[in-house]
Amino acid sequence: MLKILVYIHAPAQTPTKGQRELLALAASLGEAAVVLGDNADDAARAGLHGAGATAFYGAVTPEQLRGELIAPAVSLLVAAVRAAGADAVLLPNTMEGREIAARAAVRLDSGVITDAVAVDQELNVTKSVLAGSYTVRARITRGPALITLKANSVQPAEAQDSGAQVPPVQTLELGESGPAARITATAPHIASGRPELSEARFVVAGGRGVDGDFGPVEDLADALGAAVGASRAATDAGWIDHSAQVGQTGVTVSPQLYISAGISGAIQQKAGMQSAKYIVAINKDPDAPIFEIADLGIIGDLASVLPQAAAEIRRRQG
Ligand SMILES: Cc1cc2nc3c(=O)[nH]c(=O)nc-3n(C[C@H](O)[C@H](O)[C@H](O)COP(=O)(O)OP(=O)(O)OC[C@H]3O[C@@H](n4cnc5c(N)ncnc54)[C@H](O)[C@@H]3O)c2cc1C
């Protein structure tokens, strides 16, 4: 049976959807163990255990993980791979996940595959390349496979209370992590109340066409319970925070529904959203490239289309 490690950067009281997706994929491939990127109390571990984790690895000195950027996390992951004799490691396809995977692969003399959307029993990985223009299958030929999984690619594991004893954490020495950037201060992220963009099932995104006013985009997002995304033109203009940027140099999303409003559909934007299950595009230019990949295209002014859509959704919700 394959031994699969899942790297969980920030264990929460209840596992997030992204964490449950990683665990579901790991459990479908073999025995799923979790590497804890921070302290996880009994409740947090019970949640991960209920979602499929059969063992836990953590740091003897978790404060080291919190005090520096990713170097100690890499040391922990490498130590856990060796302790578990892991065949593969699954990580989130975030900036952090990809960087940790890359550094760990160098130390393990192995390989990394990013942007994965599926993995089979032989550890063949399906992924999209060249800004999403092609889907390819790839396989790591040497050492444990380090794979970063795109959000919303697999059905998340249901968190169940099995009543079974939660396995203890096997602690590992991190040793000297080498030159590392130190964290001198942190500030809590101000929660918008909307779902996390990279994990959201629905995304409403606005581009230059919103002309500075994200109000209609946000209103439709709230009617749908969606996250708000944006094109680079909109984030560069300062109309919305850079963390909302979807695309090659922003967040990659794979929601069930992506509503694109006032976005032309440049290749760098498509790279971050074209694996969405359904794409609805609203643009006043009938020749906009976004219509080439849209399941439903609406030629019109977003200032008029978005409020009508929000009103209709609220009416149907009663
Ligand atoms: C290296 C590199 C990396 C990049 N990374 C990214 C990235 O990660 N993400 C990203 O998005 N871009 C990225 N870009 C930029 C990208 O090339 C485009 O410039 C950008 O996506 C354009 O944003 P936009 O579609 O909002 O603006 P535009 O291309 O200006 O399109 C605006 C659209 O809005 C429509 N419109 C205008 N008014 C209305 C209205 N009232 N109602 C309806 N439609 C309207 C117009 O018809 C037009 O199609 C990158 C570029 C480079 C070179």
Side-chain angles (χ1 to χ4, degrees):
M1 194 184 227
L2 291 177
K3 292 192 171 156
I4 313 291
L5 289 182
V6 171
Y7 178 74
I8 303 279
H9 193 62
Q13 287 297 298
T14 320
T16 64
K17 185 163 147 282
Q19 293 167 354
R20 288 186 288 114
E21 287 170 0
L22 290 166
L23 281 164
L25 178 59
S28 74
L29 297 172
E31 212 173 275
V34 161
V35 181
L36 296 163
D38 202 342
N39 267 342
D41 63 17
D42 291 350
R45 277 187 293 115
L48 292 166
H49 180 54
T54 57
F56 293 99
Y57 295 93
V60 173
T61 47
E63 52 287 352
Q64 212 177 330
L65 292 163
R66 250 169 278 137
E68 295 171 19
L69 289 181
I70 59 165
V74 176
S75 299
L76 171 64
L77 189 59
V78 169
V81 166
R82 291 187 174 135
D87 298 291
V89 183
L90 301 179
L91 303 97
N93 197 47
T94 55
M95 291 282 185
E96 249 155 12
R98 288 188 299 222
E99 195 173 345
I100 291 169
R103 288 176 183 234
V106 171
R107 291 209 211 162
L108 292 163
D109 191 25
S110 176
V112 183
I113 300 178
T114 58
D115 296 332
V117 293
V119 184
D120 72 15
Q121 298 290 330
E122 274 73 51
L123 300 180
N124 294 308
V125 180
T126 307
K127 61 170 281 179
S128 60
V129 296
L130 296 176
S133 316
Y134 294 90
T135 299
V136 299
R137 269 155 64 88
R139 190 169 191 277
I140 288 165
T141 52
R142 190 174 72 202
L146 290 127
I147 300 163
T148 67
L149 179 74
K150 269 190 173 182
N152 298 319
S153 302
V154 299
Q155 189 67 27
E158 288 299 328
Q160 291 164 350
D161 182 5
S162 64
Q165 179 115 31
V166 178
V169 182
Q170 300 175 48
T171 51
L172 302 164
E173 293 284 352
L174 299 187
E176 284 294 314
S177 51
R182 284 202 170 278
I183 297 168
T184 54
T186 58
H189 179 69
I190 298 160
S192 68
R194 299 193 182 102
E196 166 68 28
L197 180 58
S198 61
E199 293 187 359
R201 286 183 66 227
F202 306 133
V203 174
V204 185
R208 203 191 307 271
V210 307
D211 200 17
D213 179 10
F214 260 80
V217 172
E218 290 173 343
D219 188 47
L220 178 57
D222 290 341
L224 275 170
V228 171
S231 72
R232 180 155 149 186
T235 58
D236 279 358
W239 299 338
I240 187 163
D241 193 77
H242 271 283
S243 59
Q245 185 181 314
V246 172
Q248 188 177 324
T249 42
V251 179
T252 301
V253 299
S254 319
Q256 297 289 308
L257 172 66
Y258 187 91
I259 301 180
S260 160
I263 298 178
S264 59
I267 183 127
Q268 297 89 354
Q269 156 74 199
K270 285 181 187 165
M273 46 64 79
Q274 65 184 359
S275 59
K277 189 151 189 207
Y278 294 105
I279 297 170
V280 175
I282 301 145
N283 198 303
K284 65 182 184 184
D285 173 6
D287 296 323
I290 191 70
F291 288 133
E292 291 163 13
I293 59 163
D295 297 284
L296 175 67
I298 301 165
I299 301 164
D301 186 339
L302 65 89
S304 134
V305 176
L306 294 184
Q308 287 181 59
E312 180 61 17
I313 287 163
R314 290 200 170 99
R315 189 185 69 76
R316 290 187 186 210
Q317 285 166 344

